[in-house]
């Protein structure tokens, strides 16, 4: 099967649901009854293998069908989920050899009647996908609300575990680094399942005494800690344990199966060495998202009590909410310590919610996060480790700044995020001027010159000109960075040229304007 990208942002459609659409008149005439459909593709090629991603319902009228057995074998090799054969105009009935080949290779074969267009089948699949996606979102939303309510109870950790067990209809437990059970909920699993869960917990949150001592293999890597265990993607808020000398970082999540039971383990953030383990009878769409929400909540609930720095920030927040001036609370925030502002957006373009923002903040090492429409803003107190790309996010990072300069840092982060999106990079960091010739001019004189030169420009025009020059005059990248149409960029740049009475194709003019825009 060819390498497949991640599937679409919706659950798969069961074949039975498509067959239940009576208006389509589809009939399964060969192959298994069950299949999950991810896509719909129409092809009359003799071998569509190179163009399949896997999971397709492939529709064809058999225009170039010459060898049914080879044709079906190639579809199965490509990972196709089912084959829909349109009766007419090429064939009056589905070829018997094709029916036999689908039965032999285990590929569901659907007969598409002459009155049903392929586009109608595709439209029905997309509609079923949308309905499934809405059901999943409703389920995740209800689970999120239920878990958040449980987290507000007097006994939050056991309450969250009980609610998670209800939502996933399985066994959940919070294990310590040495395998001890802190809290558990749900039915007690079989002994072999408990043993497998404990092993998974050691994979994602190994104790200090369980450091690998086995000899390295021929390539220098330690042997697998748990055969059959599948390391997963880091869930929101989970932080893998730090790697010691000669020790590879542990995965943040892992999965396994035991006698038809699906097993999961997630490392909790907070440095406590705790792991959340789950055993469920099935793996439904959205389960990983629900578990990720629980991981974020449990990471926050089990984290150590806040220290003096966190207490100072909390006090500053309270005073600001009560009307204190920012300069009055700056000492509580440590005005001399550098702060970093981070702007982030989801790489897939989906809106970010408060839980996404909290998870990103936890991954970056800060509890100070906020969502402004589709943009997440995180305040990172310093000193801190360098900011690294985060899976699924595009980040813009400001330079270090004291509390009094946080508005400027916020602008830097916003511009850096626009630059990252325009250049399609996961992370962009604000780079301050390095001095050079610009350092020879006194700052007050440079700023006065910049104000005079750029006086004719409004703020939107000046920002567009700065972004356009910074992206080497690219209309498309500037449009992406500013989230406007490329024609809007052209109109603004032309307006700038008119108001400044300058030739923006002249490199000398561009250099002077860039210098001024950096000083304004």
């Amino acid at each position: 099967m060819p390498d497949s990208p991640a599937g679409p942002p919706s659950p798969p459609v069961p074949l039975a649901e498509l067959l239940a659409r009576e208006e389509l008149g589809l009939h399964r005439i060969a192959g298994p009854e069950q299949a999950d459909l991810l896509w719909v593709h129409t092809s009359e090629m003799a071998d569509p293998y190179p163009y399949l991603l896997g999971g397709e319902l492939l529709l064809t009228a058999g225009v170039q069908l010459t060898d049914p057995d080879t044709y079906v074998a190639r579809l199965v090799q490509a990972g196709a989920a089912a084959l829909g054969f349109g009766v007419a105009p090429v064939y009056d009935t589905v070829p018997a050899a094709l029916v036999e080949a689908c039965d032999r290779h285990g590929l569901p074969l659907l007969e598409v009647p002459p009155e049903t267009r392929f586009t109608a089948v595709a439209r029905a699949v997309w509609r079923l996908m949308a309905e499934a996606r809405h059901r999943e979102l409703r389920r995740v939303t209800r689970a999120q609300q239920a878990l958040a309510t449980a987290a507000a109870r007097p006994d939050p950790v056991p309450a969250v575990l009980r609610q998670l067990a209800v939502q996933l209809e399985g066994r959940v437990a919070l294990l310590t680094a040495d395998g001890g059970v802190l809290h558990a909920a749900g039915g007690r699993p079989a002994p072999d399942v408990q043993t497998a869960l404990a092993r998974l917990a050691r994979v994602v949150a190994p104790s200090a005494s369980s450091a690998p001592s086995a000899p390295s293999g021929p390539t220098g890597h330690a042997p697998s800690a748990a055969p059959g265990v599948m390391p997963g993607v880091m869930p929101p808020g989970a932080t893998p344990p730090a790697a010691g000398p000669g020790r590879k970082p542990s995965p943040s999540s892992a999965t396994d199966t035991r006698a038809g039971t699906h097993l999961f383990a997630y490392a909790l953030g907070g440095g406590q060495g705790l792991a959340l383990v789950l055993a469920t009878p099935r793996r439904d769409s959205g389960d990983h998202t629900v578990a990720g929400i629980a991981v974020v909540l449990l990471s926050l609930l089990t984290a150590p009590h806040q220290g003096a720095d966190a207490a100072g920030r909390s006090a500053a927040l309270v005073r600001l909410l009560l009307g204190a001036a920012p300069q009055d609370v700056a000492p509580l925030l440590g005005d001399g310590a550098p702060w970093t502002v981070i702007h982030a957006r989801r790489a897939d373009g989906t809106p970010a919610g408060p839980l996404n923002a909290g998870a990103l903040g936890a991954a970056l090492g800060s509890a100070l996060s906020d969502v402004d429409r589709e943009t997440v803003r995180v305040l990172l107190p310093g000193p801190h480790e360098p900011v690294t790309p985060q899976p699924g996010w595009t980040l813009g990072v400001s330079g270090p700044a004291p509390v009094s300069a946080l508005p400027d840092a916020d602008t830097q982060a916003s511009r850096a995020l626009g630059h990252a999106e325009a250049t399609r990079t996961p992370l962009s960091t604000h780079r301050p001027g390095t001095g050079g010739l610009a350092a020879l001019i006194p700052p007050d004189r440079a700023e006065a010159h910049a104000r005079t030169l750029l006086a004719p420009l409004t703020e939107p025009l000046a920002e567009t000109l700065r972004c356009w020059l910074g992206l080497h005059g690219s209309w498309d990248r500037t449009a992406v960075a500013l989230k406007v149409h490329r024609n809007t960029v052209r109109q603004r740049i032309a307006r700038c040229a008119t108001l400044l009475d300058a030739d923006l194709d002249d490199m000398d003019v561009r250099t002077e304007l860039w210098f001024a825009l950096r000083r304004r």
Side-chain angles (χ1 to χ4, degrees):
M1 177 177 172
D3 292 338
S4 300
S10 60
V13 173
L15 178 61
E17 290 190 13
L18 181 63
L19 294 175
R21 295 282 178 133
E22 296 182 358
E23 70 276 11
L24 298 176
L26 303 178
H27 300 284
R28 184 185 60 84
I29 58 176
E33 296 181 0
Q34 300 194 7
D36 289 330
L37 312 179
L38 291 175
W39 328 85
V40 177
H41 184 63
T42 302
S43 175
E44 297 301 338
M45 299 181 66
D47 181 17
Y49 174 95
Y51 302 95
L52 299 182
L53 297 171
E56 291 91 352
L57 166 61
L58 180 67
L59 301 175
T60 182
V63 174
Q64 299 192 55
L65 182 65
T66 57
D67 185 351
D69 189 78
T70 301
Y71 181 80
V72 173
R74 291 285 284 172
L75 294 184
V76 172
Q77 186 180 3
L83 174 64
F85 193 88
V87 176
V90 182
Y91 290 88
D92 294 332
T93 59
V94 180
L98 183 63
V99 176
E100 295 173 0
C102 287
D103 272 330
R104 185 163 49 253
H105 292 283
L107 181 69
L109 175 61
L110 312 183
E111 180 182 7
V112 184
E115 63 273 12
T116 300
R117 299 182 178 182
F118 285 176
T119 53
V121 177
R123 189 181 300 114
V125 172
W126 303 141
R127 186 176 295 113
L128 288 170
M129 281 187 173
E131 293 171 357
R133 179 60 173 166
H134 289 155
R135 288 195 301 269
E136 179 187 1
L137 289 175
R138 286 196 297 269
R139 180 203 169 201
V140 170
T141 299
R142 288 195 297 267
Q144 174 182 329
Q145 294 170 345
L147 290 169
T149 300
R153 292 177 57 87
D155 55 342
V157 173
V160 169
L161 292 176
R162 287 194 296 270
Q163 188 57 237
L164 182 61
V166 171
Q167 295 295 329
L168 301 185
E169 300 180 6
R171 167 78 170 184
V172 300
L174 191 61
L175 304 186
T176 62
D178 58 3
V181 179
L182 284 180
H183 302 282
R188 182 176 295 275
D192 61 328
V193 172
Q194 295 187 60
T195 302
L197 287 174
R199 186 183 67 180
L200 276 185
R202 290 194 296 271
V203 170
V204 301
S207 63
S209 61
S210 63
S213 57
S216 299
T219 60
H221 297 296
S224 173
V229 175
M230 298 173 57
V233 180
M234 177 163 55
T239 304
R247 182 178 176 185
K248 296 172 64 177
S250 300
S252 297
S253 65
T255 65
D256 198 0
T257 56
R258 186 70 77 243
T261 300
H262 299 279
L263 312 180
F264 307 84
Y266 300 92
L268 298 192
Q272 304 302 296
L274 302 179
L276 173 67
V277 295
L278 305 92
T280 60
R282 59 183 180 276
R283 183 179 299 176
D284 291 337
S285 178
D287 283 356
H288 185 70
T289 303
V290 174
I293 295 170
V295 167
V296 173
L297 291 173
L298 292 171
S299 296
L300 295 173
L301 293 171
T302 59
H305 293 298
Q306 63 181 8
D309 290 343
R313 290 195 290 271
S314 297
L317 177 59
V318 170
R319 296 189 188 184
L320 284 173
L321 293 175
L322 293 176
Q327 60 268 23
D328 295 335
V329 302
L332 291 172
L333 296 173
D335 193 46
W339 288 67
T340 302
V341 180
I342 301 171
H343 282 210
R345 293 194 188 99
R346 299 289 293 271
D348 58 6
T350 58
L355 280 175
N356 299 125
L360 177 63
L364 294 171
S366 174
L368 304 176
S369 62
D370 184 32
V371 182
D372 183 10
R373 296 176 184 167
E374 76 275 12
T375 302
V376 173
R377 296 193 296 183
V378 178
L379 276 179
L380 197 59
H384 55 77
E385 295 295 326
V387 178
T388 58
Q390 300 296 313
W393 293 91
T394 302
L395 306 180
V397 183
S398 76
V403 172
S404 56
L406 282 180
D408 293 335
D410 189 55
T411 300
Q412 294 173 5
S414 177
R415 290 174 176 175
L417 176 59
H419 186 273
E421 291 182 323
T423 55
R424 298 183 179 180
T425 56
L427 183 147
S428 179
T429 302
H430 170 76
R431 301 295 181 189
T434 56
L437 293 175
L440 300 178
I441 303 176
D444 55 343
R445 294 182 60 186
E447 293 171 5
H449 173 74
R451 287 194 299 269
T452 302
L453 179 62
L454 301 174
L457 302 184
T458 62
E459 179 62 29
L461 290 178
E463 180 62 17
T464 302
L465 181 58
R466 185 208 61 79
C467 186
W468 182 71
L469 291 174
L471 292 170
H472 308 289
S474 171
W475 308 109
D476 291 329
R477 288 185 172 185
T478 305
V480 171
L482 298 177
K483 295 192 174 300
V484 298
H485 195 276
R486 67 195 308 270
N487 289 342
T488 302
V489 176
R490 288 181 177 275
Q491 293 169 1
R492 290 181 182 177
I493 296 301
R495 183 62 177 162
C496 289
T498 300
L499 292 174
L500 296 173
D501 191 20
D503 180 7
L504 297 185
D505 292 328
D506 188 318
M507 191 60 198
D508 290 337
V509 173
R510 289 194 181 196
T511 301
E512 183 176 5
L513 287 172
W514 179 249
F515 173 84
L517 288 163
R518 298 279 288 183
R519 291 296 183 273
R520 65 187 286 273

